[in-house]
Amino acid sequence: MKPSTRWALAGLLALSTGAASAAVSVVYDHPDKFYDLPFATWERDEMLGQITDHFQQLGKALPQGQDLRIEVTDFDPAGRLIPNARAGRDLRVMTGRADWPRMELRYAVEQNGQVIKSGEARLADMNYQQGSLLLSDSEPLRYEKRMIDDWFDKTIAPLPNRRHR
């Protein structure tokens, strides 16, 4: 993927019934200016791709006929990056201090071409290392995904089978 000032990933999700589909599009506005993303383009693309995939999975909870558009305007994952030339990947170190995950976004939920809900949101999880975590310890973006889950559950659509902290 070539670098650009506006990088977009979009996808269509088919619901399990196959009869209906929800479109979930995710656009990253100036990802080259996001704080604390990996330096290597392929690593940055991989990280943003995982976030996009997560939004698309959440889109399965939307009622039939609703679509979700998200524009991420800022993103700062948990921890701090430390360059690591030996391993070939940057290391992310999380201290639990002032290194919590943050994200700013604009969203719109549409039904039949009409916007039924929209707004801007500032997501942050200052206590990201506290509480229960339903995602596995091996999940590299578990704190960011939990933060997104909480926002989605409260703002867009309740997530089925979700245990609240």
Side-chain angles (χ1 to χ4, degrees), residues 4 42 64-65 108:
S4 68
W42 68 271
Q64 182 176 343

Side-chain angles (χ1 to χ4, degrees), residues 6 27-31 33-34 70-75 103-106 120-121:
R6 192 167 178 92
V27 176
Y28 296 92
D29 188 19
H30 300 286
K33 297 198 186 324
F34 293 175
I70 296 174
E71 178 183 12
V72 178
T73 57
D74 195 18
F75 179 49
M103 180 181 283
E104 294 180 15
L105 56 85
R106 290 185 200 88
E120 295 184 8

Side-chain angles (χ1 to χ4, degrees), residues 145-164:
K145 290 178 180 180
R146 179 177 64 185
M147 175 182 72
I148 292 167
D149 288 352
D150 289 344
W151 167 78
F152 189 91
D153 192 44
K154 293 172 187 167
T155 309
I156 304 299
L159 294 173
N161 303 321
R162 178 147 160 87
R163 290 186 220 137
H164 294 280

Side-chain angles (χ1 to χ4, degrees), residues 38 40 42-43 83-91:
W42 68 271
E43 277 187 275
N84 185 2
R86 280 189 175 191
R89 292 185 84 122
D90 295 332
L91 296 176

Side-chain angles (χ1 to χ4, degrees), residues 22-165:
V24 178
S25 67
V26 181
V27 176
Y28 296 92
D29 188 19
H30 300 286
D32 52 323
K33 297 198 186 324
F34 293 175
Y35 187 75
D36 220 17
L37 261 57
F39 178 74
T41 303
W42 68 271
E43 277 187 275
R44 188 172 38 252
D45 290 350
E46 182 180 284
M47 178 182 278
L48 295 177
Q50 289 177 31
I51 295 296
T52 297
D53 291 345
H54 192 68
F55 276 119
Q56 291 174 339
Q57 287 301 313
L58 292 174
K60 292 179 180 180
L62 289 170
Q64 182 176 343
Q66 290 187 2
D67 300 326
L68 175 63
R69 287 184 295 119
I70 296 174
E71 178 183 12
V72 178
T73 57
D74 195 18
F75 179 49
D76 181 4
R80 295 289 171 249
L81 279 182
I82 298 175
N84 185 2
R86 280 189 175 191
R89 292 185 84 122
D90 295 332
L91 296 176
R92 184 164 298 282
V93 177
M94 296 176 218
T95 63
R97 295 187 184 121
D99 62 353
W100 59 84
R102 293 180 283 275
M103 180 181 283
E104 294 180 15
L105 56 85
R106 290 185 200 88
Y107 65 92
V109 178
E110 298 178 352
Q111 187 163 1
N112 300 323
Q114 298 291 333
V115 174
I116 59 172
K117 183 187 298 188
S118 65
E120 295 184 8
R122 295 181 106 147
L123 288 56
D125 186 357
M126 294 174 67
N127 298 314
Y128 73 97
Q129 290 184 325
Q130 309 300 315
S132 65
L133 193 62
L134 300 176
L135 299 168
S136 131
D137 284 348
S138 64
E139 171 61 50
L141 295 170
R142 60 190 170 276
Y143 301 115
E144 294 77 3
K145 290 178 180 180
R146 179 177 64 185
M147 175 182 72
I148 292 167
D149 288 352
D150 289 344
W151 167 78
F152 189 91
D153 192 44
K154 293 172 187 167
T155 309
I156 304 299
L159 294 173
N161 303 321
R162 178 147 160 87
R163 290 186 220 137
H164 294 280
R165 293 182 274 148

